[in-house]
Amino acid sequence: MKIAIAHDYLVQMGGAERVVEVFHQMFPNAPIYTTMFSSHRLLDELRDADIRASWLQKMPGGKSHFKEMLPLYPFAIKDFDFREFDIVLSSSSAFMKSIEVPKSTFHLCYCHTPMRFAWDYDTYMERQTKSSVMKKLLKIYIDRLKHWDQKTSANVNQFIANSSVVKHRIRNYYQRDADVIFPPINTSRFHSSKEIGNYYLIVSRLVSYKRIDLAVEAFNKNGLPLYIVGEGPDSVRLKAMAKANVHFMGRLEDRVVTKMMAECRALIFPGEEDFGITPLEANAAGRPVVAYQAGGALDTIVPHVNGVFFQRQEVEDLLGAIRDVENHAWDVQQIIGHAQKFDEKTFMDKLKTYMSTSYQQFREGH
């Protein structure tokens, strides 16, 4: 079988890109179709891949301002030609699930979420600094985009959701069923440490919906050391509100982040994520997680086994959860054992079996 991989864009390094990296491990000869990619922000494991970008790749400044290219993506994906492939495996949280494939080609979509900036526009834009006029204009476009997104969901033969909450969204927005296969964690990258520091840790892209501001406010109040690893458009605002005990580390090499995870008091996970790979990476390093009780964390956090929840995105709730994590006696091996349930090999085995069965059913239907 000839297989192609498709992904929205490769201009940042997050959980979705880690999934694409595992797809590439599974199918190293499969080309990766994407709207655009940045060689500076490409995961090392993808540097040998056959990456085929759309005409957006040649747009001046496109890779730095990929969010401003929003109206162009539906047109960019139309130019991809998948006639030579038996299966297209798409990884999508935005546009790539809408690609058109021949009727004889099986399109399996691994959906990280239906596009959040369309279906949850008000929450997504709540802390954005755009003018009220720009927000109103965007709202008009977003209403049309939602219609297009719903219509083109029919281009997918079978959906896989990355979490229970995403399965529900797919059903709600697209009226389609989906099976859940949790994303892969490379647990072998992480090792526990006997040397635990006095700091808490955040590893995240600095964008407003991830609610890093909530953590900054909480640590401003309790005075404990907080290290924030990552870059993003919200960094200026966050730095302006942070006190001296909150440290912004920028982007760091994986080996440095791995060490910081192993030695932190706990990982802070204050936003609602579709799944959230980072908490399980911290667990693989033997450290607990303080997570907002919503989204993908509901599938991954077992209270007082590998972390604690806080129920409302309010400073006092987060501070209470931090005190809870401080007062609990954590079993490092139990935390690591929980993370290993989400290991890459488990993911690969499940996905290969699922692809084989689904493709066979597709062929029988044709």
Side-chain angles (χ1 to χ4, degrees), residues 110-138:
Y110 189 84
C111 185
H112 305 282
T113 183
M115 51 178 74
R116 287 179 68 158
F117 52 83
W119 294 101
D120 194 15
Y121 176 80
D122 291 336
T123 301
Y124 194 85
M125 294 297 293
E126 187 177 3
R127 290 170 180 79
Q128 297 284 339
T129 56
K130 299 186 187 302
S131 69
S132 58
V133 173
M134 178 59 73
K135 287 183 179 180
K136 286 178 182 177
L137 290 173
L138 275 173

Side-chain angles (χ1 to χ4, degrees), residues 86-313:
D86 301 300
I87 298 176
V88 176
L89 175 60
S90 67
S91 158
S92 182
S93 60
F95 300 95
M96 203 55 81
K97 71 114 185 71
S98 301
I99 53 175
E100 297 177 7
V101 304
K103 290 184 178 179
S104 59
T105 299
F106 179 58
H107 179 188
L108 178 63
C109 176
Y110 189 84
C111 185
H112 305 282
T113 183
M115 51 178 74
R116 287 179 68 158
F117 52 83
W119 294 101
D120 194 15
Y121 176 80
D122 291 336
T123 301
Y124 194 85
M125 294 297 293
E126 187 177 3
R127 290 170 180 79
Q128 297 284 339
T129 56
K130 299 186 187 302
S131 69
S132 58
V133 173
M134 178 59 73
K135 287 183 179 180
K136 286 178 182 177
L137 290 173
L138 275 173
K139 185 68 166 65
I140 295 170
Y141 173 71
I142 288 297
D143 288 340
R144 294 181 179 181
L145 184 63
K146 284 164 67 175
H147 176 74
W148 175 85
D149 187 50
Q150 195 168 51
K151 181 181 177 181
T152 57
S153 65
N155 294 353
V156 176
N157 295 109
Q158 182 65 47
F159 279 101
I160 298 174
N162 75 345
S163 68
S164 300
V165 71
V166 169
K167 174 185 173 76
H168 176 75
R169 289 178 197 160
I170 291 169
R171 181 65 182 167
N172 194 30
Y173 303 146
Y174 301 153
Q175 290 77 55
R176 296 287 301 275
D177 288 324
D179 293 303
V180 176
I181 299 178
F182 297 127
I185 310 298
N186 183 1
T187 58
S188 63
R189 271 183 55 213
F190 301 91
H191 304 280
S192 61
S193 173
K194 293 180 180 178
E195 302 295 327
I196 304 302
N198 68 339
Y199 64 90
Y200 285 79
L201 181 66
I202 288 176
V203 180
S204 174
R205 284 183 293 118
L206 304 185
V207 291
S208 59
Y209 82 88
K210 290 182 179 287
R211 296 308 314 273
I212 311 301
D213 59 329
L214 178 66
V216 171
E217 287 182 47
F219 281 84
N220 279 348
K221 196 163 185 177
N222 68 14
L224 296 173
L226 174 66
Y227 289 85
I228 299 175
V229 176
E231 300 173 334
D234 210 25
S235 62
V236 174
R237 180 176 76 96
L238 293 170
K239 289 176 182 177
M241 64 186 290
K243 291 185 178 180
N245 59 303
V246 179
H247 308 275
F248 291 85
M249 312 301 291
R251 180 181 162 194
L252 300 175
E253 294 181 10
D254 280 354
R255 60 179 181 81
V256 179
V257 177
T258 299
K259 185 174 186 296
M260 291 184 74
M261 280 188 171
E263 296 178 1
C264 70
R265 301 293 297 173
L267 182 89
I268 306 295
F269 195 65
E272 179 179 350
E273 291 284 0
D274 309 312
F275 179 73
I277 286 177
T278 310
L280 288 169
E281 291 180 334
N283 287 162
R287 304 314 302 151
V289 176
V290 177
Y292 174 47
Q293 193 170 3
L298 299 174
D299 285 326
T300 61
I301 303 299
V302 180
H304 298 115
V305 171
N306 66 321
V308 297
F309 283 126
F310 62 99
Q311 292 188 335
R312 298 174 301 172
Q313 286 178 311

Side-chain angles (χ1 to χ4, degrees), residues 28-44:
N29 296 321
I32 300 174
Y33 288 81
T34 189
T35 55
M36 66 177 88
F37 70 94
S38 169
S39 56
H40 300 298
R41 294 182 178 272
L42 205 60
L43 292 170
D44 290 340

